[in-house]
Amino acid sequence: MPRPGGLPNPGGGGGISTEGTFVPGFLAASPSPHPLPGAGEQRRTEGRLVSSVQAVLATGSGIVIIRSCNDVITDRHWLAREYVWFLIPYMIYDSYAMYLCEWYRTGDQSRRQSLTTFQSFLSKNRLMITHHAVILFVLVPVAQKLRGDLGDFFVGCIFTAELSTPFVSLGRVLIQLKQQHTLLYKVNGILTLTTFLCCRILLFPFMYWSYGQQQGLSLLQVPFNIPFYCNVANGFLIAPQIYWFSLLCKKATRLFDAPPARKDG
């Protein structure tokens, strides 16, 4: 889940993912025995492109689903289930892309070094690995089976959370091109923060409000009129978003307050 493009990495990890994060990636190649200089950056650029394409597709699917569901509980749209089948291989790809980034960074690919690289990968990206695992092993079963035929509207809302990812990718490209001092970089950072706030944090009050409008309840009444496990699940989903957003705001404050020489660094 994601972190703003054009801003430093709040997690400090080597490879970072699409869900609001910077995504290193690979496309067509398996790692060679001796990575060439610049190969890691090429894979990262490719991964950012893949992440952006996936984000556009997810956001577009989410908007279509939301607009098609007049009843937020019972109305159906085929994309709410079918897009998940695309999301599963993407999450697996993204996890491997994160590891591949770490692999290219280390350079020495002996068997012993590979084990060290894998341990470093797990340590640096434990939050994102947990995030991916929750999506694959919890949210996917819920979306495909456990919710039955209800709640396509809310699945569409969750899809739109990817809106911030293209700005994430653009921000990392600008950093790679050493364009941190440009107006485009600053504007991109603002857009990333804005889309992150709207689509990853305010999204949850919007879903509660939408349900309340249909049921004749105020926003504050909704949490007391839905199953307790729904509130718990939403709490688990929004908690890391708030954490990441707070880090991003701190990074953004330092970025805009820093002198030009420091920004270039």
Side-chain angles (χ1 to χ4, degrees):
M1 294 186 177
R3 303 170 194 165
L7 297 175
N9 170 16
I16 310 172
S17 157
T18 66
E19 317 288 281
T21 51
F22 316 141
V23 186
F26 72 102
L27 276 181
S30 298
S32 59
H34 302 285
L36 298 174
E41 285 303 317
Q42 179 182 350
R43 296 300 183 269
R44 290 186 183 96
T45 302
E46 292 169 348
R48 289 167 196 141
L49 176 60
V50 174
S51 301
S52 297
V53 172
Q54 190 279 143
V56 170
L57 292 175
T59 302
S61 299
I63 292 172
V64 170
I65 295 167
I66 292 170
R67 291 177 59 88
S68 300
C69 295
N70 295 319
D71 189 304
V72 301
I73 300 298
T74 60
D75 279 0
R76 310 292 310 283
H77 194 283
W78 63 272
L79 274 173
R81 291 188 183 275
E82 298 305 320
Y83 189 80
V84 175
W85 296 119
F86 176 80
L87 188 63
I88 293 172
Y90 173 75
M91 283 296 166
I92 296 172
Y93 151 81
D94 193 39
S95 299
Y96 180 68
M98 293 162 62
Y99 171 72
L100 192 64
C101 175
E102 186 70 16
W103 190 92
Y104 272 104
R105 188 186 67 80
T106 58
D108 181 8
Q109 302 306 320
S110 65
R111 178 174 298 182
R112 184 172 182 178
Q113 182 66 24
S114 295
L115 178 59
T116 302
T117 299
F118 185 69
Q119 292 173 338
S120 175
F121 162 71
L122 294 178
S123 175
K124 290 180 179 178
N125 299 282
R126 55 185 177 272
L127 185 57
M128 285 311 303
I129 293 170
T130 301
H131 167 265
H132 281 37
V134 168
I135 289 177
L136 288 173
F137 300 113
V138 178
L139 296 186
V140 167
V142 169
Q144 295 298 80
K145 293 292 183 181
L146 299 181
R147 68 185 178 92
D149 294 331
L150 304 176
D152 283 15
F153 172 87
F154 301 110
V155 174
C157 289
I158 296 299
F159 286 167
T160 63
E162 288 293 316
L163 181 60
S164 61
T165 300
F167 301 105
V168 167
S169 300
L170 176 58
R172 295 305 293 175
V173 170
L174 291 173
I175 290 174
Q176 185 176 337
L177 297 176
K178 302 186 184 303
Q179 297 297 306
Q180 297 95 315
H181 61 284
T182 63
L183 177 62
L184 176 61
Y185 182 79
K186 294 181 179 180
V187 171
N188 184 72
I190 293 172
L191 289 173
T192 308
L193 285 172
T194 302
T195 54
F196 194 101
L197 174 64
C198 293
C199 294
R200 291 182 178 268
I201 296 178
L202 298 183
L203 173 70
F204 291 89
F206 169 74
M207 290 192 291
Y208 277 62
W209 176 83
S210 298
Y211 178 82
Q213 287 293 106
Q214 184 171 296
Q215 301 297 322
L217 302 171
S218 69
L219 178 62
L220 296 179
Q221 290 176 315
V222 172
F224 304 100
N225 288 273
I226 61 176
F228 177 72
Y229 65 82
C230 292
N231 292 316
V232 172
N234 286 328
F236 275 111
L237 289 174
I238 197 174
Q241 313 305 325
I242 295 174
Y243 169 72
W244 280 326
F245 187 71
S246 67
L247 292 180
L248 292 168
C249 289
K250 293 178 182 178
K251 296 285 187 179
T253 301
R254 289 200 293 268
L255 175 66
F256 284 92
D257 288 344
R262 183 177 175 185
K263 292 179 186 178
D264 291 342

